Amino acid sequence: MYGWIWRHLPGPAPVKIVEAVVLVLMVVALLLFVVFPWLEPLLPFNDVTTV
């Protein structure tokens, strides 16, 4: 999969590196700001019981 992405990025190798870093940062931002906040209420981490 990474090879497919690398082959389809335009430009020479230095430009591809910058584009790949930007893509990774966009995925991380999407996860942090959209996916994880949506998923957090569904996780059982706040259901703490003490005995």
Side-chain angles (χ1 to χ4, degrees):
M1 178 173 180
Y2 298 116
W4 182 88
I5 294 171
W6 184 258
R7 285 191 304 272
H8 286 81
L9 288 174
V15 174
K16 286 184 179 188
I17 292 171
V18 171
E19 292 170 346
V21 169
V22 168
L23 283 174
V24 168
L25 291 176
M26 288 172 54
V27 169
V28 168
L30 179 70
L31 287 172
L32 285 175
F33 295 117
V34 177
V35 176
F36 294 153
W38 169 79
L39 187 64
E40 192 265 336
L42 304 174
L43 297 175
F45 298 132
N46 291 333
D47 298 337
V48 179
T49 58
T50 57
V51 179

